[in-house]
Amino acid sequence: MASNARLDHRNPLVFDTHELGRRPGALQRLNRTIDAPADLGIQGVIGVPEGAPVELELRLESVMEGVLVTGTARAQAEGECVRCLEPVGLELEADFQELFSYPDADDRGRVIAEPGDDAEDDEDWFYLEDGLFDLEPLLRDAVVLALPMQPVCQEDCQGLCSECGARLADDPDHHHDAVDIRWAALQGLAGSLEDGEKDEMSGADAEAGVDEKQEK
């Protein structure tokens, strides 16, 4: 993956390989804690909050083609249970590995003119720039793959009541009396008839009262 913008060595996710050198087989181990960049995770679902600490353990190995970067990222991810909407927190551990190629060598270590000759192939490659590489794109991909697409607060979470929205885990005996829709119309009709009968009875009682007064 070629980048048009020059890398900034002050960026905590940019690493310098000059100390490693280009001798095949050379190794370097790095540990670094960084502040999580914005939108690190699955947007709107779960992710590492911006500014939260992310611990990085990296192993840099010099090979013919470039620098092979192998590492692990650890952080605390936060999200929302997809069933009951309660907050969810989990320990994230994302592993990754990628080859950052020298800009003057192909996949067999052979010297080439410059990266970007083939735009389509160039999109599938990560390149070193003046001995620097940017870990952020690789970190983002690794974190997304390590996170659950549908996080839950617990595996047996029962979610929310479909009728009133109550959290079922808080009330195991929660239920609503089920009414067969086939009888719902009849119940409504029965209620209407009862109301009509009451009105008729009230009217009859009123008439009887009037008759009694007239007889007296």
Side-chain angles (χ1 to χ4, degrees):
M1 180 184 66
S3 174
N4 294 325
R6 294 186 64 82
L7 298 181
D8 184 354
H9 68 278
R10 295 169 297 181
N11 184 331
L13 282 169
V14 171
F15 292 80
D16 192 335
T17 66
H18 285 101
E19 185 177 338
L20 175 68
R22 293 186 63 161
R23 181 174 59 84
L27 294 174
Q28 184 180 13
R29 297 183 184 277
L30 300 173
N31 291 281
R32 182 181 294 183
T33 299
I34 65 161
D35 293 336
D39 302 322
L40 183 60
I42 305 173
Q43 193 169 7
V45 180
I46 189 170
V48 181
E50 183 176 0
V54 179
E55 297 179 3
L56 299 174
E57 292 183 7
L58 302 180
R59 178 178 183 270
L60 312 184
E61 180 180 0
S62 180
V63 295
M64 288 291 294
E65 303 91 343
V67 176
L68 181 64
V69 178
T70 305
T72 301
R74 296 183 179 87
Q76 180 72 23
E78 298 178 1
E80 188 178 78
C81 177
V82 296
R83 297 178 187 170
C84 69
L85 308 183
E86 287 293 303
V88 171
L90 59 84
E91 293 292 333
L92 168 71
E93 183 169 306
D95 297 322
F96 49 85
Q97 184 177 70
E98 188 59 66
L99 174 67
F100 288 84
S101 300
Y102 296 125
D104 58 350
D106 63 9
D107 59 347
R108 297 181 181 178
R110 299 175 303 187
V111 175
I112 56 177
E114 62 179 70
D117 288 346
D118 189 325
E120 184 174 347
D121 292 341
D122 195 50
E123 294 180 355
D124 299 327
W125 287 84
F126 288 83
Y127 286 99
L128 292 168
E129 181 183 304
D130 295 329
L132 305 176
F133 68 86
D134 185 2
L135 189 67
E136 184 171 343
L138 184 58
L139 175 63
R140 288 187 179 279
D141 290 344
V143 167
V144 169
L145 291 175
L147 289 171
M149 294 295 294
Q150 295 186 320
V152 292
C153 58
Q154 53 188 16
E155 291 300 325
D156 59 349
C157 175
Q158 300 179 51
L160 304 176
C161 174
S162 60
E163 294 190 36
C164 67
R167 187 168 181 262
L168 298 178
D170 296 333
D171 184 7
D173 297 326
H174 180 86
H175 71 282
H176 294 271
D177 293 332
V179 177
D180 193 324
I181 59 174
R182 293 173 298 179
W183 295 101
L186 294 178
Q187 289 179 344
L189 178 60
S192 299
L193 292 175
E194 290 178 358
D195 292 339
E197 291 176 355
K198 290 179 181 179
D199 292 340
E200 291 178 0
M201 291 178 65
S202 297
D205 292 340
E207 291 178 1
V210 172
D211 293 340
E212 290 179 359
K213 288 181 181 180
Q214 290 178 346
E215 290 176 357
K216 291 179 179 180

